[in-house]
Amino acid sequence: MIYHNLIKDNDFFEGYRILSNLPYVSLIANYNIKEAEKILNSFFTELENADYIPVNLYGLSGIGLILNYLSKFSGSFIEIEKDFKNDYSELILMNSKEMFHTKNFDTFEGIISCLNYFICIKDINATRELTDKLFLLANRLVEDNINDLGQAHGLSGIISSLSKSILFLKEENNNIYVDYLTSFVKYLANTKKPNSDNLLYRNNKSGITSRLAWCYGDLSIATAFTWYYKVTKNEEFLEKVKEIIYNSIQHDPKDCFVFYNEKESYYDLGICHGLSGIVLVLKRINSIIKCNKITEYINDLLNTISSTLSLIGDNEVKFPNVAADKTVIWTKNTSFLEGTIGVYFVLSDHELKEGWDNFLLTDLGSEE
C-alpha cells in the first residue's frame, strides 16, 4: 500500500512546513526503520538551510512530536529525540508564552500545538505552565463569546487539549481545572451557530446538517465532549456524543459538505475535512461507545477510500483546494492533513503504533 516514490526528494520538505510531509517518516518506520532513518537524515540536512523554523506544529513542535513517535522504534531515534529535547524545548516554551499574549491558542499554530508537545514528552512543569495559560486565555475567549467552535482553530480544540492535559497532570488542583473546563463545555453545548462558511452548527433533531469533518462541525464537538467524558465520567455528555454521532452517520458525506469530485465521482479523501478524518474520529470515539452501526459506517467509508485509490491510482487521486474566490480546484496533494500521506495513515491505523494521531487530538484511546 505504501509507495516510496510518492514523494520526490526535491519537494519533500519544500517550505519547511513540517506537518505537511515529515509524518511520512513515522509511517515508513512502522514497516522499514532503515528507510525511515535515511529519510530523517535527509530532512535534517535540508533543515540546516532553513532561515526560520516556527515553534508550532508546522515547525519545531511538529518535529518533536514525530521524534517522540519514532523513539518507539529504535535506540537511534531515542538519541535523536533526546538531543532535540535538550536543544529546542526551552525555545518552544519561551515562544509559547508569547502566543498567550497574542491570544494564539490554535491547534496547529498556537499554544495548543506547544502544549501537546510537552504532554507528549511528559514534561510536567512546562505542561502545567501552559495549561494554566490556556485556561486563562480560554476563559477570556468564552467571556467574549468565541465564534469558532471547531477542533482545528476553535473551542473544541481548546477543550480537547485541556482535557488531555488534565488527564496527564493528575494533580490536586485538577478540581479547579475541571470546574473551568465544565464551564467551557457547557458553553459549547449551549451554543449553536447558524450555517456559514465554517458550518459550525451542531446536529440536532431539527434535521439541520452540520459539516461532517475532523476540523469543524459535529465531529469536532463530539470529540471535545468525549475528552470531557474521559476526565469527568459524566454520562450526560457521553449521551450527547452518541446523539451527535448517530445523527451524523445517517447522511451521505457529500450531503454534509464533504467536497465531491463530480467529474470523476469521488470524495475528498483527506484527513482535515475529508473521509479519512471522518473515519479517524469515528474510530476513536467508537472505541469508547462500541456501537455496531458506527462500525458499519466506518467500514463503508474505508471501502470507499480503498476502492477510490485502487480505481484511480494513489498518485492520480486529487484533493480539493479552495481558491480565494471560493472556487474549488482539484489538484494532487501528498500532505499529511489534506493529501495522500494522511490517507495512508488512516488506512494503516490498525497496523501502526499508538499515538500517531496526537497531532489531531484524536488520541482518545491512549493511556494517560
Side-chain angles (χ1 to χ4, degrees):
M1 185 179 67
I2 297 171
Y3 292 91
H4 292 266
N5 64 348
L6 179 67
I7 301 168
K8 306 301 181 184
D9 289 341
N10 61 350
D11 64 6
F12 189 73
F13 305 112
E14 182 180 358
Y16 305 105
R17 289 173 63 85
I18 310 304
L19 193 57
S20 294
N21 285 323
L22 190 58
Y24 187 64
V25 181
S26 301
L27 185 65
I28 292 297
N30 287 273
Y31 305 97
N32 189 328
I33 292 177
K34 291 297 183 184
E35 179 69 14
E37 290 176 346
K38 179 181 177 182
I39 298 174
L40 188 64
N41 288 334
S42 173
F43 164 73
F44 278 117
T45 299
E46 291 293 324
L47 201 63
E48 291 177 0
N49 299 320
D51 295 327
Y52 169 73
I53 302 295
V55 301
N56 55 40
L57 282 183
Y58 292 118
L60 295 178
S61 294
I63 297 173
L65 285 170
I66 291 166
L67 291 178
N68 182 265
Y69 181 78
L70 289 172
S71 69
K72 301 176 182 181
F73 293 94
S74 73
S76 62
F77 287 134
I78 291 174
E79 289 302 313
I80 294 173
E81 189 209 12
K82 182 180 177 181
D83 289 342
F84 179 87
K85 287 191 291 187
N86 291 336
D87 291 341
Y88 294 107
S89 289
E90 185 176 346
L91 177 61
I92 293 172
L93 181 60
M94 181 179 67
N95 277 267
S96 64
K97 294 176 184 178
E98 180 61 28
M99 293 172 181
F100 171 72
H101 295 298
T102 59
K103 298 184 179 181
N104 185 357
F105 61 86
D106 195 89
T107 299
F108 298 126
E109 299 184 346
I111 292 176
I112 291 175
S113 69
C114 300
L115 175 57
N116 203 18
Y117 164 71
F118 287 113
I119 294 171
C120 192
I121 66 171
K122 296 181 169 50
D123 187 326
I124 292 175
N125 292 331
T127 297
R128 185 187 295 118
E129 182 173 351
L130 292 189
T131 298
D132 288 342
K133 290 184 179 301
L134 186 55
F135 265 110
L136 286 171
L137 179 53
N139 196 50
R140 294 177 189 174
L141 294 168
V142 169
E143 287 178 350
D144 292 339
N145 296 313
I146 182 173
N147 186 55
D148 194 325
L149 306 182
Q151 184 81 340
H153 316 293
L155 185 57
S156 291
I158 293 173
I159 291 170
S160 297
S161 176
L162 289 174
S163 297
K164 188 174 178 180
S165 179
I166 289 172
L167 290 165
F168 167 65
L169 289 173
K170 298 178 181 176
E171 295 177 339
E172 290 181 7
N173 67 339
N174 277 0
N175 290 331
I176 299 173
Y177 285 156
V178 173
D179 287 343
Y180 275 105
L181 184 69
T182 299
S183 68
F184 305 156
V185 170
K186 286 183 176 179
Y187 176 91
L188 182 62
N190 295 323
T191 303
K192 292 181 173 64
K193 300 292 182 181
N195 283 358
S196 66
D197 288 344
N198 287 339
L199 304 165
L200 298 173
Y201 196 109
R202 185 164 61 84
N203 243 342
N204 56 36
K205 295 178 181 178
S206 69
I208 297 175
T209 303
S210 169
R211 184 174 190 167
L212 190 61
W214 166 80
C215 52
Y216 295 119
D218 292 9
L219 296 188
S220 286
I221 294 170
T223 302
F225 285 170
T226 306
W227 275 111
Y228 180 69
Y229 168 75
K230 288 193 68 174
V231 171
T232 63
K233 303 304 179 186
N234 186 328
E235 295 288 339
E236 175 190 350
F237 281 88
L238 191 61
E239 290 303 312
K240 289 180 183 293
V241 171
K242 291 177 181 178
E243 179 185 344
I244 293 170
I245 299 301
Y246 293 159
N247 284 334
S248 297
I249 65 176
Q250 295 176 26
H251 303 287
D252 186 293
K254 66 175 176 288
D255 296 328
C256 300
F257 310 102
V258 174
F259 288 114
Y260 187 75
N261 189 326
E262 297 285 352
K263 181 179 179 181
E264 300 184 64
S265 302
Y266 65 87
Y267 302 88
D268 174 3
L269 301 184
I271 281 184
C272 196
H273 29 67
L275 297 193
S276 293
I278 298 170
V279 167
L280 179 61
V281 173
L282 291 180
K283 281 188 72 173
R284 295 298 185 258
I285 291 177
N286 202 37
S287 68
I288 296 170
I289 294 177
K290 302 185 185 333
C291 170
N292 289 335
K293 287 186 178 180
I294 298 175
T295 301
E296 291 172 6
Y297 191 83
I298 291 169
N299 288 336
D300 286 343
L301 293 186
L302 285 171
N303 287 335
T304 299
I305 295 169
S306 297
S307 61
T308 301
L309 292 178
S310 298
L311 291 171
I312 297 177
D314 300 49
N315 288 311
E316 300 303 319
V317 168
K318 297 177 181 178
F319 297 82
N321 180 29
V322 182
D325 62 358
K326 296 188 178 180
T327 57
V328 178
I329 303 169
W330 289 78
T331 58
K332 294 179 182 179
N333 188 330
T334 60
S335 73
F336 175 75
L337 280 174
E338 299 176 309
T340 319
I341 292 175
V343 179
Y344 283 167
F345 269 98
V346 172
L347 289 178
S348 305
D349 180 55
H350 62 290
E351 301 174 354
L352 306 183
K353 291 186 184 295
E354 185 181 88
W356 68 263
D357 59 325
N358 55 27
F359 294 104
L360 305 167
L361 300 172
T362 51
D363 47 332
L364 288 159
S366 61
E367 294 297 324
E368 290 82 46

